[in-house]
Amino acid sequence: MDTDTAALKRANQKIRQLCSRMHGKEPVASEGPLRVGVDLGTANVVVVVVDASGEPVGGALTPAAVVRDGLVVEYVRAIEIVRSLVAGLQAKIGRPLKIAATAVPPGTGRTDTAATAHVVEAAGLEVLAVVDEPTAAATLLEVTDGVVVDVGGGTTGISILQNGQVVYTADEPTGGTHFTLVTAGHFGISLEEAEAIKVQREKQKDLAPLLTPVMEKVATIVERHLRGFQVPRIYLVGGAVALEGFEQVIAKHLGVPVARPQEPLLVTPLGIALSCPVK
Ligand SMILES: Nc1ncnc2c1ncn2[C@@H]1O[C@H](COP(=O)(O)OP(=O)(O)OP(=O)(O)O)[C@@H](O)[C@H]1O
Ligand SMILES: [Mg+2]
C-alpha cells in the first residue's frame, strides 16, 4: 500500500470514529486535556472534540447562515450557536471543554481572523490556534504535497500544498448551493425541498443529468487553477463532494489521482480540532 493510501485509511478511521461519537448516545471515556475544533462555515457550524492523543471524543453540527465569504456576518448569533453546541457536547462528554482551535480561509486578513477567534472566545473557549482551512484538512489527511479542493456551501476553495506549506490558493463562487439551485429549478420546488432531495444518496443517481454539469464546472475551475503546477493527487473535502460520482468526474477531467475521504464535510472540522495544541 502506498503511503498516501495508508494515510487516507487512518483519516477515514478517525472520521468513522467521530461519526460514531456524534451519533452515539453513550458518553465515551477520554483521558488528558480535551481539544476543540470550531469550523464556522457558510452552510454549517461544526464543533469537534478530540483528546490529547487525537482520538475523536465527540462532535456536533448545525446548519447556520452566520458566515459569508469566510467572514462572520452574524456575530451574536454565531456566538450563541458555538456556545450551545459546546454546552451540548460538555453535557454529553461529561467533562469541561476549555481550549480550542478555529480556522479561516487562506488569505483572510488580520481583522477578520480576529473576529473569528473572538466568536470562539466569547463562547467560552480559550483559542490557542487559528489555522487556515486547507492546512487543517491536510493535517488530518497527512498531506504535504497535493491540492485540497474544498467544495463547501457557496464556494470552491483550491489550495495547493508543497512540502507542507500552502503555496497557492483560490476561492471561486461555485459550491454546494449551486447543486441545490439546479435541482430546485428543474423540479420547480423550493430551495429547502431541493436541499432535502439532493443530500439523499439514493436520489443522486437519478439527479446525475442535473448535477454532473455542475461537477464538470467545478472540475474546469480546478483545472484552470492547477495550470503550471505538478500535483500528485487531488484531495476532495467539504460537504458537496459527498455527491455520488463527484470523485470520478474530477479524476476523469483532470487525469490526476483523486482521494475523497468518508464524510468529507467533517474533514476540515476534525483537522481543526487536531490542530489545537495540547496545553
Ligand atoms: N450528503 C450530501 N450530499 C450532497 N451534498 C451535501 C451532502 N451533505 C452536505 N452537502 C452540501 O454541502 C454543503 C455544505 O458543506 P460544508 O459544511 O463543507 O460547507 P461550509 O464549510 O459550511 O461552507 P464553506 O466552506 O463554503 O464556508 C451544502 O451545500 C450541503 O448541501
Ligand atoms: Mg468549510
Side-chain angles (χ1 to χ4, degrees), residues 6 9 19 25 48 56 64 74 85 104 123 127 148-150 154 158 170 173 175 181-183 201 215 223 237 241-242:
K9 269 193 147 179
C19 286
K25 300 245 177 313
V48 169
E74 293 271 358
L85 291 175
V104 290
V127 174
V148 174
V149 174
D150 181 348
I158 298 135
L181 281 168
V182 294
T183 307
R201 190 111 186 136
M215 294 179 200
E223 184 182 35
V237 306
V241 306

Side-chain angles (χ1 to χ4, degrees), residues 152-227:
T155 63
T156 294
I158 298 135
S159 307
I160 302 176
L161 287 109
Q162 288 175 350
N163 298 320
Q165 300 294 319
V166 177
V167 296
Y168 176 87
T169 66
D171 207 40
E172 294 267 1
T174 298
T177 311
H178 298 81
F179 296 93
T180 311
L181 281 168
V182 294
T183 307
H186 178 80
F187 294 110
I189 54 178
S190 70
L191 290 178
E192 290 72 23
E193 288 168 309
E195 176 73 23
I197 294 171
K198 179 195 78 172
V199 297
Q200 294 174 43
R201 190 111 186 136
E202 60 282 9
K203 300 258 169 77
Q204 288 171 2
K205 266 210 167 70
D206 296 338
L207 295 175
L210 299 176
L211 303 183
T212 307
V214 187
M215 294 179 200
E216 296 277 4
K217 184 169 181 219
V218 172
T220 307
I221 290 169
V222 175
E223 184 182 35
R224 180 155 43 82
H225 287 285
L226 293 192
R227 234 166 255 157

Side-chain angles (χ1 to χ4, degrees), residues 72-84:
V72 182
V73 288
E74 293 271 358
Y75 199 74
V76 174
R77 183 75 193 117
I79 296 167
E80 282 170 4
I81 289 173
V82 176
R83 194 179 285 147
S84 146

Side-chain angles (χ1 to χ4, degrees), residues 227-270:
R227 234 166 255 157
F229 288 98
Q230 284 288 340
V231 291
R233 197 174 291 249
I234 296 171
Y235 296 84
L236 292 180
V237 306
V241 306
L243 287 167
E244 167 94 27
F246 214 140
E247 196 181 344
Q248 289 78 0
V249 168
I250 299 286
K252 195 168 160 211
H253 197 103
L254 284 120
V256 175
V258 174
R260 177 178 60 176
Q262 291 177 355
E263 301 296 340
L265 192 153
L266 296 174
V267 172
T268 301
L270 179 50

